[in-house]
């Protein structure tokens, strides 16, 4: 009788544990534009604007950006980054064509 009682208790605990695993997660609330901007803003404990601008400029260049304009007096940097995606797309299409039994770029 004791064995059946323990199996009953173990079964109830197993049922409770399995139901707890099925609990749904609460959706993450979307951030407002102000909250996003707050995450993106940095504050530096210095009055040396040239040093900060140089650090930002070096960071942008390290990340592959091309600096177009830099105005230290205004605290303005303009940069761009060009990414060539055509080679990756064409390689993917060629691989897909070969996988499907095609002949690549043959025009027939």
């Amino acid at each position: 009788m004791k064995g059946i009682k323990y199996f009953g208790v173990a079964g109830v605990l197993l049922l409770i544990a399995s139901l707890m695993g099925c609990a749904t997660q609460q959706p993450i609330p979307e951030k407002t534009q102000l909250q996003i901007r707050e995450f993106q803003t940095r504050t530096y404990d210095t009055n040396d604007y040239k040093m900060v601008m140089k650090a930002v400029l070096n960071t942008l260049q390290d990340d592959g950006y091309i600096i177009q304009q830099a105005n230290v007096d205004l605290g303005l940097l303009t940069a761009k980054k060009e990414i060539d995606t055509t080679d990756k797309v064409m390689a993917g299409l060629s691989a897909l064509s070969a996988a499907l039994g095609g002949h690549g770029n043959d025009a027939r």
Side-chain angles (χ1 to χ4, degrees):
M1 275 314 243
K2 287 186 178 183
I4 294 173
K5 184 177 179 183
Y6 289 122
F7 281 122
V9 172
V12 170
L13 291 176
L14 183 63
L15 179 65
I16 291 172
S18 65
L19 290 177
M20 288 177 64
C22 296
T24 60
Q25 293 181 354
Q26 296 293 329
I28 299 172
E30 294 207 16
K31 305 269 188 264
T32 65
Q33 184 65 33
L34 180 62
Q35 290 170 327
I36 293 170
R37 182 65 56 187
E38 192 173 282
F39 291 136
Q40 296 172 341
T41 302
R42 302 241 176 171
T43 304
Y44 296 95
D45 293 329
T46 183
N47 290 330
D48 189 0
Y49 295 109
K50 288 183 181 181
M51 189 256 321
V52 173
M53 287 288 287
K54 185 174 180 177
V56 171
L57 187 130
N58 289 336
T59 302
L60 288 172
Q61 286 180 332
D62 289 345
D63 285 340
Y65 285 86
I66 299 170
I67 306 300
Q68 294 176 318
Q69 293 177 339
N71 189 331
V72 177
D73 296 330
L74 295 176
L76 175 71
L77 282 174
T78 305
K80 70 177 181 177
K81 184 175 186 178
E82 295 181 5
I83 301 172
D84 185 20
T85 58
T86 57
D87 292 337
K88 292 178 183 177
V89 171
M90 292 306 292
L93 290 176
S94 296
L96 180 63
S97 175
L100 295 175
H103 299 286
N105 293 332
D106 291 345
R108 293 184 185 204

